[in-house]
């Protein structure tokens, strides 16, 4: 048995079967999430697939085991089969399930989560929290036309609001979906730049409004400003209870 390295970074070297199976799991997961491997798809015989992918059977089986644990596949005597979306999202961790959501699902999730985050931030934000949010809003205003930087500032502002809530679980929920948020926000900014560029400038005015409500320690106003901001960015003005209509109008 090899001695354990004192340096934890040494253990990141990709020289073991687990790293190979982890890589294979991630690649297969991405194919399932993208729909390239649709629900009901049955993987080829293990021998055939191992030869096709140039991996050992133990590597493939470990990848299958992890996929099954997260709800992406079901292993039966007939073979390994890709699960339907409902099964996946009910089993997979939040971050993975979120990758399969629709823009309408994401907007509703953000409304539910971030309205409450803004409310708590208004009750608990410190002067340090407020200063950091103010700096990001100011930075965002300087990034006109730079979609990547606009998206970065947008995500950073929302993460800072979550931090200002001083609730570990709310902040964790935001961090769990941060990659999905970043992808969605960038895509949304590109769409808005083409169709309704004024919304991009408006979004930072809305950030400023959320910040002002938090600065005033007004929970109801902060909640309302966050709702208006998310609805505006996602292209809907329906009330927060009208979830069906929201899904229909969000691109």
């Amino acid at each position: 048995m090899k001695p354990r390295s004192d340096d934890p970074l040494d253990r990141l070297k990709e020289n073991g079967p687990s790293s190979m199976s982890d890589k294979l799991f991630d690649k297969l997961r991405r194919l399932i999430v993208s729909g390239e491997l649709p629900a009901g798809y049955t993987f080829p015989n293990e021998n055939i697939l191992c030869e096709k992918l140039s991996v050992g059977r133990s590597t493939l089986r470990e990848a299958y085991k992890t996929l099954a644990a997260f709800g992406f596949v079901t292993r039966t005597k007939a073979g390994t089969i890709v699960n339907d979306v409902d099964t996946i999202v009910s089993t997979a961790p939040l971050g993975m399930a979120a990758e399969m959501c629709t823009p309408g699902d994401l907007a509703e999730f953000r409304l539910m989560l971030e309205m409450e985050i803004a409310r708590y931030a208004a009750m608990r934000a410190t002067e340090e929290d407020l200063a950091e949010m103010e700096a990001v809003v100011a930075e965002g205003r300087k990034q006109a036309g730079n979609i990547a930087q606009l998206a970065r500032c947008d995500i950073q502002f929302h993460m800072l609001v979550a931090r200002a809530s001083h609730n570990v679980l709310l902040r964790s929920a935001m961090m769990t979906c941060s990659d999905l948020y970043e992808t969605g926000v960038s895509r949304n900014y590109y769409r808005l730049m083409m169709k309704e560029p004024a919304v991009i400038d408006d979004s930072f005015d809305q950030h400023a409004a959320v910040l002002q409500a938090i600065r005033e320690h007004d929970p109801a106003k902060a909640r309302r400003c966050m709702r208006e901001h998310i609805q505006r960015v996602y292209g809907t003005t329906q009330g927060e209870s009208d979830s069906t209509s929201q899904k229909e109008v969000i691109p």
Side-chain angles (χ1 to χ4, degrees):
M1 184 175 182
K2 291 182 67 176
R4 186 180 179 88
S5 170
D6 291 332
D7 186 348
L9 294 179
D10 287 342
R11 298 197 291 274
L12 295 179
K13 293 178 181 177
E14 297 178 353
N15 57 1
S18 61
S19 62
M20 290 293 294
S21 65
D22 289 345
K23 280 187 169 183
L24 183 56
F25 157 74
D26 192 56
K27 290 177 180 179
L28 292 174
R29 177 183 66 82
R30 291 178 185 278
L31 290 174
I32 293 171
V33 168
S34 69
E36 294 176 75
L37 295 179
Y41 175 85
T42 301
F43 286 91
N45 171 276
E46 285 189 4
N47 291 332
I48 294 173
L49 189 55
C50 285
E51 184 176 350
K52 182 180 182 69
L53 301 179
S54 300
V55 299
R57 182 174 287 188
S58 61
T59 296
L60 179 62
R61 287 183 173 175
E62 279 299 313
Y64 277 161
K65 182 178 178 180
T66 309
L67 286 168
F70 287 140
F72 288 99
V73 302
T74 296
R75 304 202 69 191
T76 70
K77 291 182 179 179
T80 300
I81 303 167
V82 175
N83 287 331
D84 57 75
V85 173
D86 287 344
T87 300
I88 294 172
V89 299
S90 66
T91 308
L94 178 60
M96 290 184 182
E99 293 180 1
M100 306 191 72
C101 74
T102 66
D105 290 334
L106 180 58
E108 290 175 358
F109 177 80
R110 292 193 66 175
L111 281 168
M112 176 197 72
L113 178 64
E114 295 194 55
M115 286 165 60
E116 291 307 303
I117 283 175
R119 185 169 73 88
Y120 282 112
M123 291 189 280
R124 300 170 178 170
T126 65
E127 287 301 317
E128 181 182 354
D129 293 328
L130 292 167
E132 290 183 342
M133 285 186 276
E134 188 169 345
V136 170
V137 171
E139 179 64 23
R141 293 190 186 281
K142 300 176 184 177
Q143 302 299 334
N146 188 332
I147 297 298
Q149 290 300 315
L150 282 168
R152 181 186 62 80
C153 289
D154 186 296
I155 293 298
Q156 191 175 2
F157 175 77
H158 286 269
M159 293 300 169
L160 287 172
V161 175
R163 189 167 77 179
S165 74
H166 293 277
N167 181 298
V168 172
L169 292 178
L170 291 175
R171 186 179 176 189
S172 177
M174 286 289 288
M175 292 299 296
T176 298
C177 297
S178 60
D179 289 344
L180 176 70
Y181 274 28
E182 188 168 353
T183 300
V185 167
S186 296
R187 187 181 298 122
N188 221 24
Y189 272 131
Y190 277 113
R191 177 182 64 82
L192 292 171
M193 183 70 83
M194 298 298 294
K195 295 180 66 175
E196 197 176 354
V199 174
I200 294 178
D201 293 332
D202 289 349
S203 71
F204 285 93
D205 290 337
Q206 291 154 15
H207 283 177
V210 172
L211 174 57
Q212 183 59 30
I214 293 172
R215 186 181 294 281
E216 293 170 1
H217 299 290
D218 187 333
K221 183 178 178 181
R223 190 175 188 274
R224 182 176 67 254
C225 288
M226 183 63 81
R227 183 186 72 230
E228 291 170 355
H229 167 54
I230 293 173
Q231 288 179 333
R232 174 69 166 147
V233 169
Y234 280 88
T236 179
T237 56
Q238 279 78 13
E240 58 190 279
S241 63
D242 191 4
S243 59
T244 303
S245 296
Q246 285 182 15
K247 285 192 176 185
E248 291 172 351
V249 301
I250 295 171

